[in-house]
Amino acid sequence: MHLELTSFPLCPFVQRAVITLKEKGVPFSVRYIDLNAPPDWFLALSPMGKVPLLQVDGTVLFESAVINEFLDETHPPSMLPVAPLARARARAWIEFGSNLIGRQYQMLVAPEQEGFERQQAASKSELRFLEAALGAGPLFLGTGFSLVDAAYAPLFMRLRLLDAAHPTGLLDELPKTAAWAAALCARPAVQGSVPEGFETLFRERFRAAGGWVGQFL
Ligand SMILES: N[C@@H](CCC(=O)N[C@@H](CS)C(=O)NCC(=O)O)C(=O)O
């Protein structure tokens, strides 16, 4: 099976798929595009004009959660629980993580401090739900790496960069979430899931985006 991922270097949703591929040790190739000037071949292939795309022997898959479930089903052992209820719960928290990634992006590009703080407050409320959902750790479902972990690692990696520049306090008083974030950021597959120079690219992009927080990056 030939797997070709289409990526934008800073995209957290692409990173979810890369983490899953690396955790499973599955070979794949990547081609990067510039989302500010997407090539015609990409626009012709991507139904929503978004990355990630995963071409599987030429068939196009899109949506990070769908891509990750496909990778999981085709490369056992599974990173999702077997029992339907536990499986559905894991999927629900993956979707919740997508929403948090969206809020993080809104924090990074909010033109005014007030908009930044509004997203920060909303993120904090949502993270409290996550804290309540976490077990004994160190990972979301315990000791085994799951697709929930793959879904949140990009969020926490970016939060670290943001916190180093302008402390958000988002993980303060959320000890389980903070420990989970640290465990994810320490994993080799997570560290190896971004292209070289990622931190610099991240800072440059969001400085250039003109958001209020960009001045600290
Ligand atoms: N729900 C999608 C979100 C993917 C997404 O938003 N990708 C962004 C880059 S991080 C994108 O391609 N944006 C281009 C656009 O919206 O035009 C997923 O989980 O794959």
Side-chain angles (χ1 to χ4, degrees):
M1 185 187 292
H2 179 67
L3 302 176
E4 176 152 34
L5 191 64
T6 303
S7 173
F8 174 68
L10 286 168
C11 177
F13 299 100
V14 173
Q15 198 187 346
R16 289 173 157 184
V18 178
I19 291 168
T20 302
L21 287 159
K22 292 204 173 249
E23 284 284 349
K24 287 178 175 284
V26 177
F28 64 103
S29 54
V30 189
R31 53 183 168 177
Y32 291 101
I33 61 157
D34 179 359
L35 274 179
N36 296 317
D40 288 343
W41 64 259
F42 169 73
L43 294 175
L45 279 183
S46 178
M48 299 204 286
K50 292 184 181 182
V51 291
L53 285 188
L54 182 72
Q55 282 169 271
V56 185
D57 294 334
T59 297
V60 174
L61 297 181
F62 52 101
E63 283 298 316
S64 60
V66 174
I67 289 170
N68 266 359
E69 288 213 25
F70 169 78
L71 292 171
D72 194 51
E73 283 171 11
T74 49
H75 298 86
S78 178
M79 291 179 173
L80 277 176
V82 173
L85 183 57
R87 203 171 169 83
R89 177 178 179 268
R91 289 179 172 134
W93 286 108
I94 289 169
E95 179 59 22
F96 193 77
S98 299
N99 197 50
L100 277 165
I101 288 175
R103 286 207 186 284
Q104 185 176 66
Y105 180 78
Q106 292 307 322
M107 281 172 76
L108 287 162
V109 299
E112 312 289 345
Q113 182 172 3
E114 188 260 324
F116 175 91
E117 287 174 353
R118 200 172 44 244
Q119 293 298 335
Q120 184 181 14
S123 299
K124 184 78 187 195
S125 309
E126 291 174 6
L127 284 165
R128 287 198 188 95
F129 278 94
L130 192 59
E131 178 78 6
L134 280 161
L139 300 172
F140 188 80
L141 294 175
T143 52
F145 192 89
S146 72
L147 293 188
V148 186
D149 299 305
Y152 281 80
L155 174 83
F156 293 137
M157 188 186 257
R158 285 160 185 71
L159 180 56
R160 278 201 158 184
L161 293 180
L162 178 57
D163 270 341
H166 176 76
T168 63
L170 281 179
L171 300 186
D172 292 358
E173 297 119 39
L174 302 178
K176 289 182 178 177
T177 312
W180 182 35
L184 290 179
C185 290
R187 285 184 87 86
V190 172
Q191 291 175 356
S193 63
V194 288
E196 225 175 277
F198 172 79
E199 297 196 10
T200 307
L201 277 177
F202 176 86
R203 289 200 183 87
E204 282 172 356
R205 170 161 189 231
F206 288 109
R207 241 186 262 139
W212 173 80
V213 83
Q215 64 188 303
F216 305 110
L217 292 171

